[in-house]
Amino acid sequence: MSEPTKSPIKDKPLRSPGQSLEEERRKLFEDKIETPFLLALFFTFLAVFEWWRSYSNRPPSPVFFTIVAVLLVGFFTWRVWKIRPRIRALRQGIEGEKAVGQFLERLRESGYQVFHDLIGTGFNVDHVLIGPAGVFTVETKTWSKPERGEAHIKFDGEQLTVAGREPERNPVVQARAQAGWLKGLLVESTGHNFDVFPVVVFPGWYIEQTEGSLRNMWVLEPKALAKFLGNAPQRLTPEEIKLASFHLSRFIRSSEKDRSK
C-alpha cells in the first residue's frame, strides 16, 4: 500500500489580472449555455436516430424527437443571442485588465509590489500597487470607443463625463469606495494607517483633466501612470512596503483558500 501524499504547494497562488471576469464568463457559459446546448445535442441525436430507424424499416417515431430537437436548438440559439453582448463585454474587460496588468508588472523594477483582482464582499479591486509613492488601487475601465469622433473623457476632480454625458455607473464613486475598503483592510491587518490613493485607467481613451482635478484621485490612460508615480513624492519606506505587501498577500491567499472550500 502506497504512502499518502499531499501537494507540495502550501499556499494558494495570488490572483491574476481579469480573473474575476474570467470566472464570471465561465459561470455565464455553464449556467446559460451549457445545459441547453447539451439538451439540444441529445435530442438532435435522438431525432437523427429515429429518422435512421424510419429509413431502415424499423418502427419509427421521429416526429416527436424532431420537434423537441428543433425547439431546443431554437432555445439554445436564442439564449446565446441574448447573452452575446455580455460575453463580448466580459471578453473586452478581460483583455483590458490583462493588458493593464502586464503594464503594471513592469513597475516592479521601480520598487512596487503588484497585486491583481482582490476579492471583497460583492466586488473586486482590479489591481493594487504598493511602493515608494504609496498604496494605490487601480480600476481598469475597458469601455468601447465610438467608431467615429474622438474617444474623449473629461474629469474635473469630482465628475467624470464621456462625450459630455455621465456614465450610468460612476467609476469615481467605485474607485473611492475601493480605496476606502483597502485602507480599512490594511489598518485592521497591520495596525498601520496607510493612505490609499484611488486610480482609474481607461485604455485607449484621451483623458482631459481640469486644473487641480488630480489632487485626490487620478484618472489616466494607463501609459501615463508610470510618469505620475515617478513624479510623486516618496511616502513609504521599504519596511512599510514589505509590511503592507505581506499582509495583503496573506489576505489574498486566505480568501482564495476559503473560496476553494
Side-chain angles (χ1 to χ4, degrees):
M1 186 175 180
S2 61
E3 293 289 334
T5 61
K6 65 178 182 178
S7 170
I9 307 301
K10 182 179 179 181
D11 296 319
K12 288 285 184 180
L14 299 178
R15 294 176 68 82
S16 57
Q19 187 169 336
S20 286
L21 295 180
E22 289 275 14
E23 291 169 352
E24 183 179 349
R25 184 172 65 169
R26 190 182 314 120
K27 189 174 187 303
L28 191 66
F29 176 82
E30 293 171 352
D31 293 347
K32 303 295 185 181
I33 294 180
E34 190 174 56
T35 299
F37 170 74
L38 291 175
L39 286 173
L41 185 65
F42 174 71
F43 276 94
T44 299
F45 170 79
L46 287 179
V48 171
F49 177 72
E50 288 297 319
W51 281 111
W52 173 80
R53 290 179 63 186
S54 175
Y55 285 109
S56 302
N57 295 320
R58 297 173 182 270
S61 57
V63 176
F64 170 74
F65 289 110
T66 300
I67 292 173
V68 174
V70 169
L71 290 174
L72 286 172
V73 169
F75 175 71
F76 168 72
T77 303
W78 171 80
R79 179 63 68 86
V80 171
W81 178 82
K82 185 177 181 181
I83 67 173
R84 185 179 56 178
R86 181 56 184 160
I87 292 175
R88 187 187 302 117
L90 286 172
R91 182 175 64 248
Q92 182 170 293
I94 291 167
E95 291 172 352
E97 288 191 24
K98 286 185 175 180
V100 171
Q102 291 168 1
F103 176 78
L104 296 179
E105 286 293 327
R106 303 176 195 170
L107 296 173
R108 294 185 186 275
E109 299 175 359
S110 301
Y112 285 86
Q113 296 296 316
V114 186
F115 301 89
H116 306 288
D117 199 41
L118 270 70
I119 302 297
T121 304
F123 68 95
N124 78 299
V125 181
D126 292 341
H127 317 278
V128 172
L129 295 174
I130 302 176
V135 181
F136 301 83
T137 57
V138 182
E139 176 66 19
T140 299
K141 293 299 182 185
T142 316
W143 288 355
S144 297
K145 297 163 61 175
E147 292 186 3
R148 298 180 180 178
E150 189 176 10
H152 184 269
I153 291 174
K154 185 175 181 180
F155 179 59
D156 64 5
E158 294 295 332
Q159 186 181 42
L160 184 145
T161 57
V162 182
R165 297 181 180 180
E166 289 190 47
E168 291 184 7
R169 295 186 62 184
N170 192 334
V172 174
V173 174
Q174 180 186 6
R176 286 175 174 165
Q178 291 172 351
W181 171 80
L182 182 59
K183 180 181 176 69
L185 177 67
L186 290 175
V187 168
E188 181 180 349
S189 59
T190 68
H192 189 94
N193 188 20
F194 289 96
D195 289 327
V196 180
F197 196 85
V199 180
V200 183
V201 294
F202 290 88
W205 286 78
Y206 172 74
I207 313 296
E208 178 187 352
Q209 299 111 352
T210 60
E211 185 177 355
S213 62
L214 303 179
R215 289 176 184 153
N216 301 313
M217 179 177 179
W218 293 345
V219 176
L220 308 169
E221 209 282 335
K223 295 177 182 178
L225 181 56
K227 181 178 179 180
F228 274 72
L229 291 172
N231 292 333
Q234 181 171 339
R235 295 185 177 91
L236 297 183
T237 64
E239 290 73 21
E240 289 173 322
I241 295 172
K242 290 180 181 179
L243 176 67
S245 300
F246 170 77
H247 283 276
L248 188 57
S249 63
R250 189 168 69 172
F251 167 80
I252 296 171
R253 290 191 169 98
S254 176
S255 298
E256 287 299 287
K257 185 177 181 180
D258 291 340
R259 281 162 51 85
S260 64
K261 289 181 180 178

